[in-house]
Amino acid sequence: RKEVEQDPGPFNVPEGATVAFNCTYSNSASQSFFWYRQDCRKEPKLLMSVYSSGNEDGRFTAQLNRASQYISLLIRDSKLSDSATYLCVVNNENDMRFGAGTRLTVKP
Amino acid sequence: EAEVAQSPRYKITEKSQAVAFWCDPISGHATLYWYRQILGQGPELLVQFQDESVVDDSQLPKDRFSAERLKGVDSTLKIQPAELGDSAMYLCATQQLNTGELFFGEGSRLTVL
């Protein structure tokens, strides 16, 4: 079993749709969690950290469920510019492990 | 433009040749990672440095890969000899201590023919 697992997608949604990505992790001692965005042939960039209480940044909401070892990312009112691969990242004592990523395409 | 500098951006080589990648991290970032990313997959950790010391190289194929960070600043990743399966993007990242955020370089894309 991989340490970090994501639904690979692809997710193809129309503009304005709400889309949710899920991620599970195997190490119960994992300390911190992130969502990164990666555009085609570019380097990953931090989208948002994931806090225990859940957090929101504009149209993006991240949730953490430690009991189920599960992280989610919700994107509301999808824009064309949201098209990218979304990577779930889990930190185990500064050992940062990535999921395989979920590809999102937002269409007009 | 990424603050972590990597070179070369692109490298095409024949199998059995030697290849080297270089990374210059953000000043003051003690933790440095090398990742390999095959198209369509997530980044896979190869090696992690804390200053000049290797923290984790359990995923590094040590028969052909080596990495060093001699003065605890810039780092090199070497492959010798390169194999067809090594074709990938090699990403260097450094970590901000207080937030844990990773900052990536633009990567070095390797094609082995």
Side-chain angles (χ1 to χ4, degrees):
Chain A
R1 182 186 171 188
K2 292 183 180 178
E3 285 195 49
V4 182
E5 295 205 56
Q6 291 183 249
D7 182 343
F11 284 66
N12 298 305
V13 303
E15 270 187 294
T18 296
V19 61
F21 304 136
N22 301 321
C23 173
T24 58
Y25 60 95
S26 60
N27 188 341
S28 59
S30 298
Q31 300 159 323
S32 54
F33 310 89
F34 306 86
W35 283 100
Y36 276 71
R37 171 192 169 128
Q38 187 172 27
D39 292 299
C40 189
R41 297 187 178 274
K42 298 284 189 180
E43 75 275 18
K45 294 184 179 179
L46 180 67
L47 177 66
M48 58 196 305
S49 302
V50 186
Y51 302 124
S52 296
S53 55
N55 49 300
E56 188 174 308
D57 183 2
R59 298 181 293 108
F60 299 84
T61 301
Q63 296 278 353
L64 168 64
N65 184 323
R66 284 191 184 271
S68 300
Q69 295 180 204
Y70 169 96
I71 306 156
S72 66
L73 176 68
L74 183 76
I75 306 176
R76 291 182 300 277
D77 189 23
S78 300
K79 310 293 184 190
L80 296 177
S81 58
D82 293 334
S83 297
T85 296
Y86 291 83
L87 296 159
C88 173
V89 185
V90 174
N91 184 3
N92 307 318
E93 297 186 353
N94 286 334
D95 179 0
M96 303 283 276
R97 299 286 173 156
F98 284 74
T102 300
R103 176 118 186 94
L104 171 67
T105 301
V106 181
K107 297 184 175 179
Chain B
E1 188 176 321
E3 296 179 58
V4 175
Q6 286 191 248
S7 66
R9 288 289 309 280
Y10 304 94
K11 178 70 178 178
I12 299 174
T13 191
E14 294 183 343
K15 62 181 180 179
S16 81
Q17 296 299 304
V19 180
F21 303 117
W22 176 78
C23 173
D24 188 11
I26 294 172
S27 178
H29 283 195
T31 307
L32 182 149
Y33 302 84
W34 282 101
Y35 287 90
R36 175 171 60 187
Q37 187 174 26
I38 295 169
L39 196 63
Q41 300 182 20
E44 171 196 16
L45 180 66
L46 291 175
V47 61
Q48 177 188 349
F49 288 92
Q50 183 68 27
D51 297 309
E52 69 278 5
S53 301
V54 173
V55 173
D56 183 358
D57 64 357
S58 58
Q59 306 293 322
L60 191 70
K62 297 181 189 63
D63 56 334
R64 299 185 300 108
F65 286 64
S66 63
E68 59 183 18
R69 194 184 183 196
L70 293 177
K71 297 182 180 179
V73 180
D74 57 334
S75 177
T76 55
L77 177 70
K78 296 179 182 179
I79 308 174
Q80 183 175 17
E83 295 181 353
L84 295 177
D86 296 333
S87 294
M89 175 78 89
Y90 290 83
L91 291 160
C92 177
T94 62
Q95 189 169 37
Q96 188 170 56
L97 181 63
N98 57 340
T99 64
E101 180 180 353
L102 290 180
F103 293 84
F104 284 87
E106 292 181 300
S108 295
R109 184 171 294 280
L110 172 66
T111 301
V112 182
L113 303 175

